[in-house]
Amino acid sequence: MVLYTNFTDGLTGDRRRMLINGGRVVWNTSDPIADAPGAEVINMRGRTIMPKFIDAHCHILPMGLDLQKLHLSECQTKSDVLDIVRKRHETHPDGWLMAVHYDQTKFGDAQHLTKHDLDKVSSDRPILLRHVNGHASIANTATLRFANVNRETPNPSGGTYVRDASGELTGVLLEHAHERVTSAAPPATLGQMVQAILAAGEKMAGFNIGTATDMMTGRYDLPLELEAYRIAAASGNKVRVRLCLQWGAVFAKSANRSRVLRGDLNELTQGFDEEMLKVWGLKIFADGAIGSATAAIYGRFTGSTPEGETDGQLMYSADRLNEMVRMADEAGFCVATHTIGDRSTDLVMDAYEQTQDPARHRIEHAMILSDAQIERMAKLGSHVTMQPEFLHRFGHAYKHQLGPERASKLKRFRSVLDAGIEMSFNSDSPIVLGDPMIGIETAVNRPAGFDPTENVTREEAIRAYTEMGAIANHDQGLMGTLQAGELADFFIVEDC
């Protein structure tokens, strides 16, 4: 047993004492004379103890895999991008050239690169630049050829192979078109997946994250990914992991197949230590993202887009979305639905309202909300996740695509909290760096151009990354507050 004395509670500022035994909190009290005979005593001399952060919406395996790819985040012009891609091609000439954090909204004309630009680097080697928001990419001719996409290939449901005025492919891929071409790249092996998960865990642990939720497990190969996460957990992964499985990886087109796949899933997850690794629920995408003008909004995007004026992209019809949520709910799964635009958020709430207990399910992002939608969301009772770091990282893109007035109202933290809605903060990493301290500072002091009346207090922001993260994962009572019975997942700071 270890007794920590004279420490400052990171949430309340109180001086407290806490007894730990077997990795669990036995008691945590402000009583200055509470004692534990025989325990090792550590006098913290007033230093602050915080529950470890909980990132309830990120992408763990992709984060680890991205560490091996070319990063374009520092590129400010098209020439910058092409120069760094050309250099990588020359120094690493084998295999696909995969780059991440491409962002056309930084360019002077805000226009995408095309396959013709990338073909000047190489038209024989597949080159694929993934947009920073993860919902679009730019492919060269070799990539399109490898993926069997040509001029006659029809757009997939919920996606677009962007074409020029003559009908020729430009190489710009949106939503499901981006996913289909990306999936043609050589898959990672089991060993590579394990190493990627461990690398991501190491990175997150460096930010004092103790638990992370992967929000799209099954993108590559569900059984292989589950095995990789199991091996990583057994190999000392530095974060606890919750998995939100991609809806399409669990359900086949036939409703009857869902019962078979649920049985398969039970078999695939046997042996999981649920404190370290468990399946949380299923993930559905309702729309796209703002930077690529594919979030489903009311009105029109103001920035330049590949297809002119647009109000974004719904991934599914309202009837299909309702069906997908119903199937998951009836099979006993919790559902987390990505919805960034206000138009898609109405459809997600419609779908949840048709379930027996909408509060079981989560709404991911909800970046554009009206007062009426916030009121409706409060009645619905669903947990909402938001990513403050987006405002820090993508403010330029939001203002370009929505205009400064509408962009200023994105992510209405204060209004959502005041409505009594459960809300957690998280990162969506590797879309952003994923440092909770950046998110906390952004939520407390929104960047210039974003409505300051939507700021929250520091205590509220910290709770959103700790206690509310546990609630988002249905882990309340297990972690998040360092109360009696919880896991002793904490870190020590001088100031927070």
Side-chain angles (χ1 to χ4, degrees):
M1 292 191 298
V2 179
L3 175 62
Y4 291 86
T5 68
N6 191 25
F7 71 86
T8 301
D9 185 299
L11 292 176
T12 66
D14 296 338
R15 289 296 175 94
R16 303 186 69 84
R17 290 184 160 218
M18 178 170 61
L19 182 64
I20 306 296
N21 188 32
R24 295 268 183 167
V25 178
V26 179
W27 47 256
N28 185 342
T29 179
S30 58
D31 184 347
I33 62 172
D35 206 357
E40 176 188 359
V41 179
I42 300 178
N43 188 334
M44 298 302 296
R45 304 186 186 281
R47 287 185 294 170
T48 298
I49 284 183
M50 290 274 296
K52 284 189 177 179
F53 297 122
I54 298 168
D55 191 337
H57 183 130
C58 61
H59 300 273
I60 301 169
L61 175 56
M63 185 192 312
L65 293 173
D66 276 6
L67 294 174
Q68 306 302 317
K69 295 174 183 175
L70 177 63
H71 279 243
L72 306 175
S73 57
E74 300 301 317
C75 296
Q76 300 296 317
T77 67
K78 294 178 181 179
S79 294
D80 289 344
V81 172
L82 294 173
D83 287 346
I84 195 172
V85 170
R86 185 176 293 105
K87 183 175 180 180
R88 175 58 70 98
H89 172 59
E90 292 170 353
T91 57
H92 298 76
D94 299 324
W96 282 51
L97 197 167
M98 308 280 282
V100 296
H101 287 256
Y102 163 83
D103 185 358
Q104 91 287 356
T105 65
K106 292 181 178 180
F107 307 156
D109 61 2
Q111 296 294 316
H112 281 292
L113 290 167
T114 69
K115 68 176 183 180
H116 305 295
D117 297 310
L118 296 182
D119 283 348
K120 293 176 183 177
V121 177
S122 176
S123 59
D124 300 319
R125 179 191 190 185
I127 301 175
L128 188 66
L129 316 183
R130 193 182 72 210
H131 198 278
V132 66
N133 63 27
H135 289 256
S137 55
I138 313 297
N140 70 341
T141 295
T143 302
L144 296 174
R145 184 169 58 244
F146 196 97
N148 293 318
V149 174
N150 55 49
R151 184 187 179 105
E152 283 69 44
T153 304
N155 288 332
S157 175
T160 305
Y161 300 114
V162 177
R163 293 168 165 84
D164 61 22
S166 69
E168 183 61 37
L169 295 169
T170 67
V172 179
L173 311 168
L174 303 178
E175 300 301 339
H176 284 174
H178 148 74
E179 293 290 342
R180 289 193 179 185
V181 173
T182 301
S183 66
T189 65
L190 176 61
Q192 290 169 334
M193 287 184 176
V194 171
Q195 291 306 308
I197 293 166
L198 292 172
E202 181 85 25
K203 178 181 177 181
M204 288 186 287
F207 294 139
N208 293 309
I209 295 170
T211 301
T213 306
D214 183 86
M215 290 304 294
M216 200 176 170
T217 312
R219 174 180 180 179
Y220 308 103
D221 181 303
L222 181 57
L224 196 66
E225 290 175 52
L226 292 173
E227 178 65 3
Y229 277 107
R230 186 194 66 77
I231 294 172
S235 300
N237 191 3
K238 291 190 175 181
V239 295
R240 304 178 191 276
V241 172
R242 278 72 184 105
L243 303 175
C244 201
L245 313 183
Q246 191 172 16
W247 189 96
V250 175
F251 288 98
K253 292 183 179 179
S254 168
N256 294 330
R257 180 64 176 150
S258 66
R259 289 189 292 273
V260 178
L261 285 178
R262 185 60 190 263
D264 292 344
L265 183 59
N266 290 337
E267 183 177 343
L268 289 169
T269 57
Q270 282 185 357
F272 278 18
D273 175 357
E274 292 207 345
E275 281 190 6
M276 290 300 300
L277 175 65
K278 73 174 183 179
V279 172
W280 179 86
L282 299 189
K283 173 72 173 294
I284 297 173
F285 283 88
D287 71 341
I290 294 173
S292 51
T294 53
I297 65 173
Y298 294 116
R300 290 288 187 270
F301 285 96
T302 61
S304 301
T305 63
E307 297 193 304
E309 280 200 351
T310 178
D311 58 1
Q313 177 75 65
L314 289 171
M315 296 296 101
Y316 308 100
S317 68
D319 288 344
R320 178 57 175 159
L321 180 63
N322 291 344
E323 179 186 29
M324 293 169 71
V325 171
R326 176 188 59 77
M327 289 173 65
D329 182 72
E330 290 179 354
F333 289 105
C334 299
V335 177
T337 306
H338 165 115
T339 173
I340 285 181
D342 45 4
R343 183 161 61 100
S344 57
T345 295
D346 274 336
L347 297 183
V348 172
M349 289 194 285
D350 288 345
Y352 284 4
E353 282 175 344
Q354 297 178 40
T355 66
Q356 288 190 343
D357 183 11
R360 293 179 63 237
H361 307 305
R362 282 172 33 175
I363 297 174
E364 310 298 309
H365 305 300
M367 289 187 65
I368 305 174
L369 291 173
S370 67
D371 290 345
Q373 285 179 313
I374 291 174
E375 181 179 352
R376 182 185 180 193
M377 198 173 286
K379 293 177 181 177
L380 194 68
S382 298
H383 186 96
V384 177
T385 75
M386 288 194 178
Q387 300 71 36
E389 199 175 346
F390 279 21
L391 299 183
H392 174 81
R393 178 72 175 83
F394 304 128
H396 65 284
Y398 299 153
K399 294 168 187 176
H400 174 80
Q401 297 287 33
L402 294 172
E405 182 176 354
R406 193 171 192 185
S408 73
K409 299 295 184 181
L410 292 175
K411 294 197 175 292
R412 300 181 62 186
F413 308 137
R414 177 81 270 151
S415 297
V416 167
L417 276 184
D418 287 349
I421 298 169
E422 288 185 354
M423 177 179 67
S424 62
F425 287 160
N426 21 76
S427 72
D428 207 8
S429 184
I431 301 302
V432 295
L433 180 63
D435 183 351
M437 294 307 299
I438 296 176
I440 289 168
E441 292 303 321
T442 304
V444 173
N445 296 293
R446 288 158 66 93
F450 293 98
D451 185 359
T453 67
E454 294 293 347
N455 288 343
V456 298
T457 68
R458 185 170 299 275
E459 179 181 339
E460 288 169 333
I462 293 172
R463 286 189 183 279
Y465 275 109
T466 53
E467 179 181 2
M468 300 312 295
I471 290 172
N473 286 335
H474 297 175
D475 275 333
Q476 56 266 46
L478 180 65
M479 62 180 69
T481 65
L482 296 178
Q483 294 304 303
E486 289 191 358
L487 295 166
D489 285 352
F490 64 90
F491 65 99
I492 300 167
V493 292
E494 298 297 335
D495 186 29
C496 187

mmCIF file of all heavy atoms in Angstrom, residues 48-85:
data_model
loop_
_atom_site.group_PDB
_atom_site.id
_atom_site.type_symbol
_atom_site.label_atom_id
_atom_site.label_comp_id
_atom_site.label_asym_id
_atom_site.label_seq_id
_atom_site.Cartn_x
_atom_site.Cartn_y
_atom_site.Cartn_z
ATOM 1 N N THR A 48 0.591 18.836 -7.556
ATOM 2 C CA THR A 48 -0.739 18.492 -8.066
ATOM 3 C C THR A 48 -0.777 17.069 -8.601
ATOM 4 O O THR A 48 0.124 16.629 -9.318
ATOM 5 C CB THR A 48 -1.146 19.468 -9.187
ATOM 6 O OG1 THR A 48 -1.216 20.783 -8.645
ATOM 7 C CG2 THR A 48 -2.492 19.096 -9.790
ATOM 8 N N ILE A 49 -1.839 16.350 -8.256
ATOM 9 C CA ILE A 49 -2.111 15.025 -8.817
ATOM 10 C C ILE A 49 -3.363 15.119 -9.682
ATOM 11 O O ILE A 49 -4.378 15.681 -9.271
ATOM 12 C CB ILE A 49 -2.293 13.970 -7.711
ATOM 13 C CG1 ILE A 49 -0.918 13.590 -7.118
ATOM 14 C CG2 ILE A 49 -3.018 12.741 -8.238
ATOM 15 C CD1 ILE A 49 -0.983 12.502 -6.065
ATOM 16 N N MET A 50 -3.254 14.574 -10.879
ATOM 17 C CA MET A 50 -4.363 14.595 -11.839
ATOM 18 C C MET A 50 -4.693 13.178 -12.283
ATOM 19 O O MET A 50 -3.788 12.360 -12.469
ATOM 20 C CB MET A 50 -3.946 15.388 -13.087
ATOM 21 C CG MET A 50 -3.802 16.870 -12.867
ATOM 22 S SD MET A 50 -5.382 17.679 -13.073
ATOM 23 C CE MET A 50 -5.667 17.339 -14.811
ATOM 24 N N PRO A 51 -5.986 12.879 -12.483
ATOM 25 C CA PRO A 51 -6.303 11.629 -13.184
ATOM 26 C C PRO A 51 -5.687 11.669 -14.580
ATOM 27 O O PRO A 51 -5.638 12.739 -15.199
ATOM 28 C CB PRO A 51 -7.832 11.637 -13.268
ATOM 29 C CG PRO A 51 -8.297 12.680 -12.316
ATOM 30 C CD PRO A 51 -7.191 13.687 -12.197
ATOM 31 N N LYS A 52 -5.211 10.545 -15.072
ATOM 32 C CA LYS A 52 -4.710 10.541 -16.440
ATOM 33 C C LYS A 52 -5.837 10.904 -17.401
ATOM 34 O O LYS A 52 -7.011 10.609 -17.166
ATOM 35 C CB LYS A 52 -4.125 9.177 -16.790
ATOM 36 C CG LYS A 52 -2.758 8.931 -16.187
ATOM 37 C CD LYS A 52 -2.127 7.661 -16.732
ATOM 38 C CE LYS A 52 -0.717 7.491 -16.163
ATOM 39 N NZ LYS A 52 -0.074 6.243 -16.667
ATOM 40 N N PHE A 53 -5.455 11.557 -18.492
ATOM 41 C CA PHE A 53 -6.440 11.971 -19.478
ATOM 42 C C PHE A 53 -7.013 10.756 -20.207
ATOM 43 O O PHE A 53 -6.355 9.714 -20.337
ATOM 44 C CB PHE A 53 -5.813 12.924 -20.492
ATOM 45 C CG PHE A 53 -5.335 14.208 -19.901
ATOM 46 C CD1 PHE A 53 -4.008 14.602 -20.016
ATOM 47 C CD2 PHE A 53 -6.212 15.054 -19.224
ATOM 48 C CE1 PHE A 53 -3.563 15.801 -19.482
ATOM 49 C CE2 PHE A 53 -5.781 16.254 -18.681
ATOM 50 C CZ PHE A 53 -4.447 16.623 -18.806
ATOM 51 N N ILE A 54 -8.230 10.919 -20.680
ATOM 52 C CA ILE A 54 -8.927 9.883 -21.451
ATOM 53 C C ILE A 54 -9.277 10.484 -22.810
ATOM 54 O O ILE A 54 -10.041 11.457 -22.885
ATOM 55 C CB ILE A 54 -10.199 9.409 -20.727
ATOM 56 C CG1 ILE A 54 -9.835 8.789 -19.371
ATOM 57 C CG2 ILE A 54 -10.974 8.413 -21.593
ATOM 58 C CD1 ILE A 54 -11.027 8.544 -18.461
ATOM 59 N N ASP A 55 -8.689 9.945 -23.858
ATOM 60 C CA ASP A 55 -8.995 10.405 -25.216
ATOM 61 C C ASP A 55 -10.034 9.448 -25.794
ATOM 62 O O ASP A 55 -9.699 8.388 -26.325
ATOM 63 C CB ASP A 55 -7.740 10.435 -26.083
ATOM 64 C CG ASP A 55 -7.969 11.160 -27.411
ATOM 65 O OD1 ASP A 55 -9.139 11.244 -27.832
ATOM 66 O OD2 ASP A 55 -6.993 11.634 -28.009
ATOM 67 N N ALA A 56 -11.295 9.827 -25.668
ATOM 68 C CA ALA A 56 -12.398 8.931 -26.034
ATOM 69 C C ALA A 56 -12.747 8.966 -27.510
ATOM 70 O O ALA A 56 -13.747 8.361 -27.923
ATOM 71 C CB ALA A 56 -13.636 9.262 -25.198
ATOM 72 N N HIS A 57 -11.949 9.651 -28.319
ATOM 73 C CA HIS A 57 -12.149 9.627 -29.774
ATOM 74 C C HIS A 57 -10.814 9.922 -30.453
ATOM 75 O O HIS A 57 -10.384 11.070 -30.575
ATOM 76 C CB HIS A 57 -13.185 10.669 -30.210
ATOM 77 C CG HIS A 57 -13.489 10.653 -31.669
ATOM 78 N ND1 HIS A 57 -14.770 10.611 -32.180
ATOM 79 C CD2 HIS A 57 -12.675 10.658 -32.760
ATOM 80 C CE1 HIS A 57 -14.728 10.609 -33.502
ATOM 81 N NE2 HIS A 57 -13.448 10.637 -33.875
ATOM 82 N N CYS A 58 -10.152 8.852 -30.893
ATOM 83 C CA CYS A 58 -8.921 8.993 -31.667
ATOM 84 C C CYS A 58 -8.798 7.763 -32.563
ATOM 85 O O CYS A 58 -9.727 6.957 -32.644
ATOM 86 C CB CYS A 58 -7.698 9.149 -30.756
ATOM 87 S SG CYS A 58 -7.393 7.758 -29.643
ATOM 88 N N HIS A 59 -7.676 7.634 -33.246
ATOM 89 C CA HIS A 59 -7.467 6.521 -34.168
ATOM 90 C C HIS A 59 -6.066 5.962 -33.892
ATOM 91 O O HIS A 59 -5.074 6.471 -34.414
ATOM 92 C CB HIS A 59 -7.629 6.983 -35.617
ATOM 93 C CG HIS A 59 -8.986 7.550 -35.892
ATOM 94 N ND1 HIS A 59 -10.060 6.775 -36.258
ATOM 95 C CD2 HIS A 59 -9.455 8.821 -35.818
ATOM 96 C CE1 HIS A 59 -11.129 7.539 -36.412
ATOM 97 N NE2 HIS A 59 -10.777 8.796 -36.137
ATOM 98 N N ILE A 60 -6.008 4.942 -33.078
ATOM 99 C CA ILE A 60 -4.744 4.487 -32.501
ATOM 100 C C ILE A 60 -3.856 3.819 -33.536
ATOM 101 O O ILE A 60 -2.697 4.208 -33.726
ATOM 102 C CB ILE A 60 -5.014 3.546 -31.315
ATOM 103 C CG1 ILE A 60 -5.849 4.274 -30.253
ATOM 104 C CG2 ILE A 60 -3.696 3.049 -30.718
ATOM 105 C CD1 ILE A 60 -6.386 3.371 -29.165
ATOM 106 N N LEU A 61 -4.368 2.793 -34.194
ATOM 107 C CA LEU A 61 -3.567 2.103 -35.213
ATOM 108 C C LEU A 61 -3.176 3.053 -36.347
ATOM 109 O O LEU A 61 -1.992 3.106 -36.719
ATOM 110 C CB LEU A 61 -4.331 0.891 -35.743
ATOM 111 C CG LEU A 61 -3.688 0.128 -36.913
ATOM 112 C CD1 LEU A 61 -2.284 -0.341 -36.560
ATOM 113 C CD2 LEU A 61 -4.573 -1.055 -37.327
ATOM 114 N N PRO A 62 -4.101 3.835 -36.927
ATOM 115 C CA PRO A 62 -3.681 4.796 -37.955
ATOM 116 C C PRO A 62 -2.648 5.800 -37.441
ATOM 117 O O PRO A 62 -1.760 6.210 -38.194
ATOM 118 C CB PRO A 62 -4.990 5.491 -38.337
ATOM 119 C CG PRO A 62 -6.046 4.473 -38.051
ATOM 120 C CD PRO A 62 -5.574 3.778 -36.811
ATOM 121 N N MET A 63 -2.757 6.198 -36.179
ATOM 122 C CA MET A 63 -1.778 7.113 -35.613
ATOM 123 C C MET A 63 -0.381 6.507 -35.679
ATOM 124 O O MET A 63 0.585 7.150 -36.100
ATOM 125 C CB MET A 63 -2.128 7.428 -34.154
ATOM 126 C CG MET A 63 -1.233 8.463 -33.491
ATOM 127 S SD MET A 63 -1.464 8.531 -31.681
ATOM 128 C CE MET A 63 -3.248 8.606 -31.546
ATOM 129 N N GLY A 64 -0.278 5.252 -35.261
ATOM 130 C CA GLY A 64 1.018 4.584 -35.291
ATOM 131 C C GLY A 64 1.542 4.386 -36.699
ATOM 132 O O GLY A 64 2.734 4.564 -36.963
ATOM 133 N N LEU A 65 0.648 4.027 -37.628
ATOM 134 C CA LEU A 65 1.058 3.840 -39.017
ATOM 135 C C LEU A 65 1.483 5.173 -39.644
ATOM 136 O O LEU A 65 2.426 5.220 -40.443
ATOM 137 C CB LEU A 65 -0.078 3.217 -39.829
ATOM 138 C CG LEU A 65 -0.459 1.779 -39.459
ATOM 139 C CD1 LEU A 65 -1.712 1.339 -40.217
ATOM 140 C CD2 LEU A 65 0.694 0.814 -39.733
ATOM 141 N N ASP A 66 0.813 6.252 -39.270
ATOM 142 C CA ASP A 66 1.146 7.566 -39.827
ATOM 143 C C ASP A 66 2.529 8.044 -39.409
ATOM 144 O O ASP A 66 3.130 8.884 -40.100
ATOM 145 C CB ASP A 66 0.110 8.610 -39.395
ATOM 146 C CG ASP A 66 -1.111 8.614 -40.295
ATOM 147 O OD1 ASP A 66 -1.208 7.735 -41.171
ATOM 148 O OD2 ASP A 66 -1.971 9.491 -40.109
ATOM 149 N N LEU A 67 3.026 7.546 -38.294
ATOM 150 C CA LEU A 67 4.357 7.952 -37.849
ATOM 151 C C LEU A 67 5.424 7.572 -38.870
ATOM 152 O O LEU A 67 6.515 8.141 -38.873
ATOM 153 C CB LEU A 67 4.673 7.325 -36.488
ATOM 154 C CG LEU A 67 3.813 7.814 -35.312
ATOM 155 C CD1 LEU A 67 4.133 7.015 -34.052
ATOM 156 C CD2 LEU A 67 4.024 9.302 -35.069
ATOM 157 N N GLN A 68 5.097 6.610 -39.753
ATOM 158 C CA GLN A 68 6.049 6.163 -40.762
ATOM 159 C C GLN A 68 5.848 6.854 -42.115
ATOM 160 O O GLN A 68 6.618 6.611 -43.044
ATOM 161 C CB GLN A 68 5.917 4.641 -40.958
ATOM 162 C CG GLN A 68 6.043 3.837 -39.671
ATOM 163 C CD GLN A 68 7.368 4.078 -38.976
ATOM 164 O OE1 GLN A 68 8.413 4.118 -39.620
ATOM 165 N NE2 GLN A 68 7.328 4.243 -37.656
ATOM 166 N N LYS A 69 4.845 7.726 -42.223
ATOM 167 C CA LYS A 69 4.522 8.350 -43.503
ATOM 168 C C LYS A 69 5.090 9.758 -43.597
ATOM 169 O O LYS A 69 5.514 10.354 -42.602
ATOM 170 C CB LYS A 69 3.001 8.363 -43.698
ATOM 171 C CG LYS A 69 2.398 6.964 -43.818
ATOM 172 C CD LYS A 69 0.889 6.991 -43.867
ATOM 173 C CE LYS A 69 0.325 5.571 -43.911
ATOM 174 N NZ LYS A 69 -1.147 5.557 -43.845
ATOM 175 N N LEU A 70 5.072 10.296 -44.792
ATOM 176 C CA LEU A 70 5.554 11.650 -45.041
ATOM 177 C C LEU A 70 4.539 12.658 -44.510
ATOM 178 O O LEU A 70 3.358 12.600 -44.849
ATOM 179 C CB LEU A 70 5.760 11.863 -46.544
ATOM 180 C CG LEU A 70 6.195 13.254 -47.003
ATOM 181 C CD1 LEU A 70 7.571 13.606 -46.444
ATOM 182 C CD2 LEU A 70 6.201 13.323 -48.529
ATOM 183 N N HIS A 71 4.989 13.611 -43.695
ATOM 184 C CA HIS A 71 4.094 14.615 -43.121
ATOM 185 C C HIS A 71 4.223 15.924 -43.895
ATOM 186 O O HIS A 71 5.321 16.415 -44.129
ATOM 187 C CB HIS A 71 4.415 14.825 -41.640
ATOM 188 C CG HIS A 71 3.816 13.791 -40.759
ATOM 189 N ND1 HIS A 71 2.872 14.068 -39.795
ATOM 190 C CD2 HIS A 71 4.010 12.444 -40.705
ATOM 191 C CE1 HIS A 71 2.515 12.959 -39.189
ATOM 192 N NE2 HIS A 71 3.200 11.960 -39.718
ATOM 193 N N LEU A 72 3.059 16.490 -44.234
ATOM 194 C CA LEU A 72 3.016 17.717 -45.034
ATOM 195 C C LEU A 72 2.512 18.912 -44.236
ATOM 196 O O LEU A 72 2.182 19.943 -44.810
ATOM 197 C CB LEU A 72 2.105 17.503 -46.253
ATOM 198 C CG LEU A 72 2.427 16.298 -47.146
ATOM 199 C CD1 LEU A 72 1.363 16.158 -48.234
ATOM 200 C CD2 LEU A 72 3.807 16.435 -47.760
ATOM 201 N N SER A 73 2.453 18.791 -42.927
ATOM 202 C CA SER A 73 1.815 19.822 -42.108
ATOM 203 C C SER A 73 2.505 21.176 -42.198
ATOM 204 O O SER A 73 1.871 22.216 -41.982
ATOM 205 C CB SER A 73 1.746 19.370 -40.649
ATOM 206 O OG SER A 73 3.033 19.063 -40.157
ATOM 207 N N GLU A 74 3.788 21.200 -42.514
ATOM 208 C CA GLU A 74 4.505 22.471 -42.586
ATOM 209 C C GLU A 74 4.421 23.124 -43.964
ATOM 210 O O GLU A 74 4.899 24.248 -44.154
ATOM 211 C CB GLU A 74 5.982 22.260 -42.221
ATOM 212 C CG GLU A 74 6.207 21.715 -40.823
ATOM 213 C CD GLU A 74 5.633 22.621 -39.752
ATOM 214 O OE1 GLU A 74 5.810 23.856 -39.879
ATOM 215 O OE2 GLU A 74 5.003 22.116 -38.806
ATOM 216 N N CYS A 75 3.816 22.451 -44.915
ATOM 217 C CA CYS A 75 3.751 22.966 -46.291
ATOM 218 C C CYS A 75 2.693 24.066 -46.404
ATOM 219 O O CYS A 75 1.533 23.862 -46.021
ATOM 220 C CB CYS A 75 3.427 21.841 -47.265
ATOM 221 S SG CYS A 75 4.695 20.558 -47.343
ATOM 222 N N GLN A 76 3.095 25.218 -46.951
ATOM 223 C CA GLN A 76 2.191 26.351 -47.073
ATOM 224 C C GLN A 76 1.765 26.615 -48.524
ATOM 225 O O GLN A 76 0.840 27.381 -48.765
ATOM 226 C CB GLN A 76 2.855 27.612 -46.518
ATOM 227 C CG GLN A 76 3.239 27.518 -45.056
ATOM 228 C CD GLN A 76 2.042 27.351 -44.140
ATOM 229 O OE1 GLN A 76 1.016 28.015 -44.326
ATOM 230 N NE2 GLN A 76 2.155 26.463 -43.165
ATOM 231 N N THR A 77 2.460 26.016 -49.493
ATOM 232 C CA THR A 77 2.150 26.242 -50.901
ATOM 233 C C THR A 77 2.153 24.906 -51.644
ATOM 234 O O THR A 77 2.651 23.895 -51.141
ATOM 235 C CB THR A 77 3.188 27.171 -51.560
ATOM 236 O OG1 THR A 77 4.457 26.484 -51.617
ATOM 237 C CG2 THR A 77 3.345 28.461 -50.775
ATOM 238 N N LYS A 78 1.638 24.931 -52.862
ATOM 239 C CA LYS A 78 1.678 23.736 -53.698
ATOM 240 C C LYS A 78 3.120 23.327 -53.975
ATOM 241 O O LYS A 78 3.454 22.128 -53.972
ATOM 242 C CB LYS A 78 0.936 23.989 -55.015
ATOM 243 C CG LYS A 78 -0.557 24.199 -54.843
ATOM 244 C CD LYS A 78 -1.233 24.496 -56.186
ATOM 245 C CE LYS A 78 -2.719 24.725 -56.005
ATOM 246 N NZ LYS A 78 -3.411 25.048 -57.263
ATOM 247 N N SER A 79 3.961 24.315 -54.217
ATOM 248 C CA SER A 79 5.377 24.015 -54.478
ATOM 249 C C SER A 79 6.024 23.333 -53.282
ATOM 250 O O SER A 79 6.832 22.409 -53.442
ATOM 251 C CB SER A 79 6.133 25.298 -54.826
ATOM 252 O OG SER A 79 5.680 25.833 -56.041
ATOM 253 N N ASP A 80 5.666 23.777 -52.071
ATOM 254 C CA ASP A 80 6.199 23.137 -50.866
ATOM 255 C C ASP A 80 5.861 21.649 -50.858
ATOM 256 O O ASP A 80 6.707 20.793 -50.575
ATOM 257 C CB ASP A 80 5.614 23.779 -49.603
ATOM 258 C CG ASP A 80 6.138 25.180 -49.344
ATOM 259 O OD1 ASP A 80 7.162 25.552 -49.951
ATOM 260 O OD2 ASP A 80 5.526 25.884 -48.524
ATOM 261 N N VAL A 81 4.594 21.359 -51.152
ATOM 262 C CA VAL A 81 4.143 19.961 -51.147
ATOM 263 C C VAL A 81 4.905 19.155 -52.190
ATOM 264 O O VAL A 81 5.445 18.079 -51.902
ATOM 265 C CB VAL A 81 2.626 19.876 -51.403
ATOM 266 C CG1 VAL A 81 2.201 18.418 -51.582
ATOM 267 C CG2 VAL A 81 1.851 20.517 -50.263
ATOM 268 N N LEU A 82 4.953 19.657 -53.411
ATOM 269 C CA LEU A 82 5.594 18.911 -54.494
ATOM 270 C C LEU A 82 7.087 18.743 -54.254
ATOM 271 O O LEU A 82 7.655 17.681 -54.567
ATOM 272 C CB LEU A 82 5.340 19.603 -55.827
ATOM 273 C CG LEU A 82 3.862 19.609 -56.276
ATOM 274 C CD1 LEU A 82 3.685 20.465 -57.512
ATOM 275 C CD2 LEU A 82 3.374 18.192 -56.519
ATOM 276 N N ASP A 83 7.711 19.733 -53.647
ATOM 277 C CA ASP A 83 9.141 19.628 -53.365
ATOM 278 C C ASP A 83 9.429 18.526 -52.350
ATOM 279 O O ASP A 83 10.356 17.721 -52.525
ATOM 280 C CB ASP A 83 9.682 20.965 -52.842
ATOM 281 C CG ASP A 83 9.799 22.021 -53.931
ATOM 282 O OD1 ASP A 83 9.714 21.653 -55.119
ATOM 283 O OD2 ASP A 83 9.955 23.206 -53.586
ATOM 284 N N ILE A 84 8.650 18.481 -51.284
ATOM 285 C CA ILE A 84 8.904 17.489 -50.242
ATOM 286 C C ILE A 84 8.526 16.085 -50.718
ATOM 287 O O ILE A 84 9.165 15.095 -50.357
ATOM 288 C CB ILE A 84 8.176 17.870 -48.926
ATOM 289 C CG1 ILE A 84 8.743 17.058 -47.756
ATOM 290 C CG2 ILE A 84 6.682 17.686 -49.028
ATOM 291 C CD1 ILE A 84 8.202 17.516 -46.411
ATOM 292 N N VAL A 85 7.476 15.996 -51.547
ATOM 293 C CA VAL A 85 7.100 14.691 -52.117
ATOM 294 C C VAL A 85 8.194 14.206 -53.070
ATOM 295 O O VAL A 85 8.574 13.029 -53.062
ATOM 296 C CB VAL A 85 5.734 14.790 -52.829
ATOM 297 C CG1 VAL A 85 5.459 13.514 -53.634
ATOM 298 C CG2 VAL A 85 4.622 15.023 -51.813
#
